[in-house]
Amino acid sequence: MTRVVSLVPSLTEAVAVTLPGALAGATDWCARPAGLDVVRVGGTKNPRTGEIAALAPDLVIANEEENRPADLDALRAVGVEVLVTEVRDVPQAFRELARVLAACGAAARPRWLDEAEAAWSALPVPERRTTAVVPVWRRPWMVLGRDTFAGDVLARLGVDHLYARHAERYPRVPVEELRAAAPDVVVLPDEPYRFTAADGPEAFAGLPCALVSGRHLTWYGPSLAEAPRVLGEALRAAHR
């Protein structure tokens, strides 16, 4: 069996569900599946590369957005093979998941991946489109910008975020400007910043706010199968 270290929480879940026993290590942020018992190697932005190399993995899986090139180069420099994914939209997520799982030793596509792809291909055309701003951080306020996986997820659910054409992928935007943009809804995920009913909506008084699962909005893995339903319910709840 291929011995794998994952530096991406969503890929950790995908590999653990598909190939039990393949993971030798994962980041401190890899919380799924629950009870995952592997060596922890630090954060996505500050992995302990020496400890990863000491695990003698056949493959380290990473992502061009979540992991720093310098850390990946340090692993390559000591002979560790690194597979780097790029995921900017839903179709690309399915392609990259299939590539990662094959590289990790999967003999066939797992059922959950087929089910996830079917769930997204069966989406009805939205009855109406809504506009949104999607904060992902606070102090300073940062929102989804151009070419993001989460932005494509929302677009397929009928939600067009207002900074999709911004020059930056995660621009810093003053909250006063976000309010002045007057979106139909403010989408507040619980990661990477943990927005809650008590932390976030108060900054957007008078605007509908949808508190959504960050795992379903930003992760590409088994959660993709239920993401359309879970996110759809949260978005509809904001307008009740």
Side-chain angles (χ1 to χ4, degrees), residues 46 72 91 124 156 162 201:
N46 56 348
L72 306 183
R156 291 168 187 272
L162 296 177

Side-chain angles (χ1 to χ4, degrees), residues 18 22 24 26 56 78 86 94 118 131 160-161 178 201 225 227 230:
T18 307
V78 294
E86 178 182 305
F94 292 128
T131 59
D160 301 312
H161 71 93
L178 298 179
V230 172

Side-chain angles (χ1 to χ4, degrees), residues 173-196:
V173 183
V175 69
E176 297 80 10
E177 182 179 324
L178 298 179
R179 288 195 294 260
D184 295 323
V185 64
V186 179
V187 178
L188 297 170
D190 60 11
E191 63 175 83
Y193 185 91
R194 188 172 180 79
F195 288 106
T196 67

